[in-house]
Amino acid sequence: LKNPLIVGFGNPLREDDGIGWRAAELIERANDEIELDVIKCQQLTPELAEAVGEASLAIFLDASVDQPPGTVSSLQVQREVPSAWSHQLSPAQLLGLVEEMNCAAPPAYLITGGVERIGWSEGMTATAERCATEMAAAAQRLLA
Amino acid sequence: MAQRIVIDPVTRIEGHSKVTIQIGDDGRIADARLHITQLRGFEKLCENRPFYEMPSLMARICGICPVSHLIASSKACDAILGVNIPPNAARLRRILNFAQILQSHALSVFHLSSPDLVLGMDSPPEKRHLFGVAAEAAEVARDGIRLRKIGQQIIELLGRKRIHPSWVVPGGVSAPLTTEKRDQIRAMLPEGLAALERTLDRFRGLFQRFPEEMESFANFPSLFLGLTDGAGKPEYYDGPLRVSDAAGNVVANAVRPEDYPKYLGEVAENDSYLKSSYYLPMGYPDGMYRVGPLARLNLVTHCGTPRADHELGALRTFAGSPLLSSFHYHHARLIEMLHVIERMEELLSHPDILSPHVRAFSHPNCQEGVGLAEAPRGTLLHHYRVDRNGLIQWANLMIATGHNNLAMNRGVKQAAEYFVRDGKLSDGALNRVEAVVRAFDPCLSCSTHAAGQMPLRIELIDADGHVLDSIAR
C-alpha cells in the first residue's frame, strides 16, 4: 500500500525559510494515527525521486518571497521537463525525473506560505508561525 | 593570430572554475589552465577559535564531503588531546567515512559523469545530464540515485544528519551504535552491491567505447599518493602515507602524518585560488602527483575484499598496472564503491561494534596536531597549532583537489591538444576538456554555487583581447 508523502523543504537556519519544515511537523503531529511519510530537507534533490515514486500523493511545502507574507497558496504540480542542473530541483522537475525513471508520478501539490524575513537566524516570525498552521490545514484538506 | 578559449564555468563538477586554452600563432595549443575562482579562507577564519570547535566548523567547508573534513579535523584534535581513541570509535568513524565515499562516488559517477558515458561525449548538451540518462537508461539513473541514497542514509543513521553531522568529536564519537541502527544499515548493503554489479556489467562495455579519451585524459606518468595499511591494501581512515611512481615503485613508504612537511610542498599560482601540491623531494613541478581512487588502487597490490579484488583484477587485465590514464578514475570509483560496502559489512559484523565505549576525554596535552584521512577525492590533511588555552593559532589544510591540481592542469592541456584543432570550437571537444576535470571529481566546495542553472559560455579571444567567436550553452 502506498502512503501519502509530505516534503517540507527550506532552511530553518534562515528564519521564515523554515516554514515548510514547521508545516510538515504540524501535519505529522496531527496525523499520528494514519500512515504518512514525512521528509524535511533543505532542497529537493534527485534522491527524493524514489520516495515520490512510491507515494500515493505528494505534498510539497515551501516558503515564498513572491507572495504577501502570511498568505497561503496551493496548486497542483505538473510534470516539467527536467533541467540540466541536478543539485536542486523544483517539485515539477522532481515529478519529471520520477516519470523519466519509468515510475508513475503520483498526484502532487505545492503549498507555499508567504514569508517576511529570511535572515541568518533560527526561529520564525509570528506571521510565519500562523502561516505554517494554515499551510498544514491546507495539506490536511488534500489528505482528506 | 594567437587566440584564447575560455570555458567559464566548468560544468558538472563541485564548485566554480574556468578553463582557458591559449592557442598560438601556429594554431597549436600553447597552454591550457584550470583556474579555481572561489576563495573560502577557512584557514584564517578559524584562528583564535577553540580547537574543539574545529570538526563542526571545518565540516562547513563543503556540503558534499563534510564527513571527510569532520574526520580529518577530529583526528587532528585527537592529536592535540594526546589520546588514543577507543577502538570502537575508530570502527564507527570508518563506517561513516565509507558511507561518505559511497555517496560521493555515486554522485560523481552517476549524476555528473554518466551523461558523458551513457549518452556520449558528443550528445546534445541539452540532454547531457542525469535526466537524459534516466530517459535513455532508467536503470542506471535509478541505481545511481539509490546508491547515493544508501550512503546518505547511513550517514544520517550514524550522525543524525545527512549533511554536516556533528557525531564525530575530538576523542571519538558522541554516541555508540544501537542494534536497531546496525541492522538497518546492514539491510541496505546487499541492495547496494546488487546495484553496483548491474552498473559494472553495463559500464565495463561502455568504458571500452572511449579509446581516445583513455589515450588523452591526463594520461601520463606521475607519482601517486595515498594512505595504505603499510602492507599492500588501501587504507581510508588511518595508516601511513605511501608515494609510488609511474612504474609502480614505492618512492616513499610509511610516512607518518606529522612528517608530511618533509614530503609535500605547496605553491600558489597567480591565476587560481587553489594551491598546487607537489612531492617536495622532486621539486615543483616535477613532483606532480595524483591522489584519489586511481592513486589508491595504484598504491596497493589488492583491496582485500573479494568483489573489489575481482573487479580490480579485471581492470588491470584490460588497462595494465599502474593505471596512468585519468579516464580510469571512473572505473576505480566503482571498484571503491564495492570495496567500501564490503568493508562496512565486515565492520558491522565485528563483535564489539555495539560497545558503548566510544569516546576518550582529556584536556589539550599537545600544542600541535595533524589529522589525515582519505576523502572520496583523495588524501585530506588538517594541521592545527594551538596555544596553551587550546585556541587555534595556525591551521593548514591540504585537500585532494589541491594535490591533483598540477595533474588536472596538465590533463586539460593534453586533452585540448588532442581535441581542439586549428582553434575550432566544437561542443564535443570542449565537453571533453571539461570531462578531464570531471574525471578527477574536484570538489571546489558547493557552498558557493550560484542559484539556478549554470550557463556555459566559451569565448575565442585574440591576443589583443578582442572576442573573435563565442558559443553559449
Side-chain angles (χ1 to χ4, degrees), chain A residues 43-88:
Chain A
Q43 59 198 38
L44 304 182
T45 58
E47 285 67 50
L48 289 171
E50 191 177 55
V52 173
E54 291 171 355
S56 59
L57 166 73
I59 299 176
F60 299 93
L61 304 158
D62 191 15
S64 171
V65 293
D66 297 326
Q67 64 194 67
T71 61
V72 174
S73 163
S74 176
L75 53 92
Q76 184 154 16
V77 179
Q78 304 296 330
R79 174 194 193 279
E80 192 176 285
V81 176
S83 88
W85 187 242
S86 58
H87 277 56
Q88 175 179 308

Side-chain angles (χ1 to χ4, degrees), chain B residues 305-319:
Chain B
T305 55
R307 288 176 192 241
D309 278 335
H310 176 77
E311 194 61 34
L312 178 59
L315 174 58
R316 284 176 172 168
T317 300
F318 169 68

Side-chain angles (χ1 to χ4, degrees), chain B residues 90-323:
Chain B
R91 279 182 212 110
L92 293 173
R93 285 183 178 183
R94 280 176 194 274
I95 295 172
L96 189 74
N97 199 29
F98 286 144
Q100 158 72 4
I101 289 169
L102 180 64
Q103 72 88 12
S104 179
H105 279 6
L107 178 71
S108 172
V109 172
F110 293 92
H111 293 49
L112 304 181
S113 288
S114 76
D116 296 330
L117 302 170
V118 173
L119 305 173
M121 297 281 175
D122 295 301
S123 58
E126 64 272 17
K127 292 185 178 174
R128 205 167 52 218
H129 45 65
L130 181 65
F131 310 99
V133 174
E136 178 75 20
E139 190 174 72
V140 172
R142 268 201 304 271
D143 283 341
I145 287 171
R146 185 70 190 133
L147 281 161
R148 181 152 197 248
K149 192 173 173 186
I150 289 172
Q152 289 179 319
Q153 283 181 321
I154 295 171
I155 292 169
E156 188 173 16
L157 282 166
L158 293 172
R160 296 179 60 190
K161 288 166 69 181
R162 290 179 182 205
I163 303 170
H164 301 141
S166 52
W167 178 63
V168 180
V169 293
V173 296
S174 60
L177 183 64
T178 63
T179 306
E180 184 188 8
K181 286 182 178 178
R182 178 197 61 185
D183 294 345
Q184 281 180 272
I185 296 171
R186 287 185 81 172
M188 287 187 262
L189 301 181
E191 192 184 350
L193 283 175
L196 276 166
E197 296 288 7
R198 277 194 298 273
T199 302
L200 280 160
D201 284 345
R202 180 187 285 261
F203 275 48
R204 276 184 216 107
L206 273 183
F207 289 139
Q208 294 184 28
R209 294 185 197 166
F210 296 91
E212 284 191 303
E213 286 76 9
M214 284 181 208
E215 180 67 27
S216 60
F217 275 25
N219 180 22
F220 40 66
S222 75
L223 300 173
F224 299 98
L225 177 138
L227 297 179
T228 70
D229 70 346
K233 292 188 290 187
E235 246 298 336
Y236 294 83
Y237 171 75
D238 215 352
L241 275 171
R242 172 179 286 182
V243 182
S244 72
D245 67 16
N249 304 307
V250 175
V251 175
N253 199 23
V255 177
R256 297 180 306 168
E258 57 270 31
D259 291 334
Y260 83 90
K262 298 177 191 166
Y263 294 89
L264 305 181
E266 287 182 293
V267 292
E269 310 274 6
N270 288 333
D271 57 13
S272 177
Y273 283 117
L274 180 63
K275 287 185 282 188
S276 297
S277 307
Y278 61 98
Y279 181 60
L280 206 52
M282 289 177 66
Y284 169 83
D286 294 342
M288 174 182 68
Y289 59 86
R290 281 177 272 186
V291 297
L294 187 86
R296 289 191 286 253
L297 297 185
N298 278 341
L299 288 163
V300 299
T301 55
H302 62 298
C303 292
T305 55
R307 288 176 192 241
D309 278 335
H310 176 77
E311 194 61 34
L312 178 59
L315 174 58
R316 284 176 172 168
T317 300
F318 169 68
S321 178
L323 302 156

